[in-house]
Amino acid sequence: HLRPYLLLHTSRHEDMFLRSTGAFTDPVFREAFWRSVDREALVDEVYTPLLGAADVWNCGPVTLDDWCADIAPFADSYNPGAGAQMLTEAGWTFDGDGYWQDETGEPHEITWLVAGGRARQEQLVDALVPMMRDEGFRLKVESVGSEFEFADRLAAGDWDLAVYAQSGLADVGLLAAANSC
């Protein structure tokens, strides 16, 4: 869950949703992916240049800052070595291209729905795709042009990963359906 602070802790945040279906049906694959996302690097590369200062939010996705004092469920979640070990212990191996495949040899391509035509989203793609490729995860970026088309695709659920900005608390309905991180 990414939440760069805009100005003085406004309610605008960017959320990363991983569905529990499709590529992320396997909970080990899903957890290993999440452990391989370097949120600090994403904030440094994508958000800090835009905002001047941004922080990774380690609270739960629908938790107000005041409610999570001394509780940070996403703190220290970045641990790609532990993710790789989890996959290896579950029988996953690398294919000839260096991407994770399950014990049957089935490759797992992650469909990432991106709101196209936005510089920040393009910067996020430029940062996250090589980061995840280096960790053995294949991202297929599907860029969607208009806000309406993006919203329709989100609702249709034909994606594995989506990152988008919101104001206020994260969308609890989509959160529940998508099992966000």
Side-chain angles (χ1 to χ4, degrees):
H1 188 85
L2 301 173
R3 183 183 182 194
Y5 292 114
L6 300 177
L7 302 174
L8 297 172
H9 296 348
T10 66
S11 61
R12 187 130 172 100
H13 50 92
E14 186 117 314
D15 302 300
M16 177 179 285
F17 292 92
L18 307 179
R19 292 182 52 85
S20 59
T21 59
F24 292 121
T25 300
D26 183 327
V28 173
F29 184 74
R30 180 185 164 88
E31 177 72 16
F33 178 87
W34 179 245
R35 289 186 169 276
S36 300
V37 176
D38 187 346
R39 297 179 308 135
E40 293 284 345
L42 292 178
V43 167
D44 290 345
E45 291 177 38
V46 177
Y47 301 99
T48 299
L50 295 171
L51 304 172
D55 297 310
V56 172
W57 194 36
N58 288 311
C59 290
V62 293
T63 306
L64 296 175
D65 291 340
D66 295 344
W67 297 348
C68 76
D70 301 323
I71 300 171
F74 297 111
D76 303 321
S77 63
Y78 176 63
N79 189 340
Q85 182 177 351
M86 290 169 54
L87 286 168
T88 302
E89 289 173 357
W92 290 70
T93 58
F94 289 108
D95 67 12
D97 294 324
Y99 293 105
W100 287 108
Q101 62 185 4
D102 65 20
E103 61 278 353
T104 68
E106 182 70 28
H108 285 262
E109 183 174 71
I110 300 162
T111 302
W112 179 8
L113 187 62
V114 174
R118 291 161 186 86
R120 183 195 33 70
Q121 285 285 313
E122 291 170 11
Q123 290 170 322
L124 191 58
V125 167
D126 290 345
L128 191 59
V129 168
M131 175 190 298
M132 300 318 290
R133 180 183 55 234
D134 291 347
E135 299 301 335
F137 297 94
R138 185 186 316 254
L139 293 176
K140 175 184 161 192
V141 177
E142 290 192 13
S143 184
V144 181
S146 75
E147 284 294 324
F148 298 110
E149 185 180 2
F150 184 74
D152 286 347
R153 287 286 304 276
L154 278 176
D158 61 344
W159 50 273
D160 302 307
L161 168 69
V163 179
Y164 59 94
Q166 299 185 71
S167 295
L169 292 176
D171 182 335
V172 177
L174 181 59
L175 172 75
N179 297 309
S180 79
C181 287

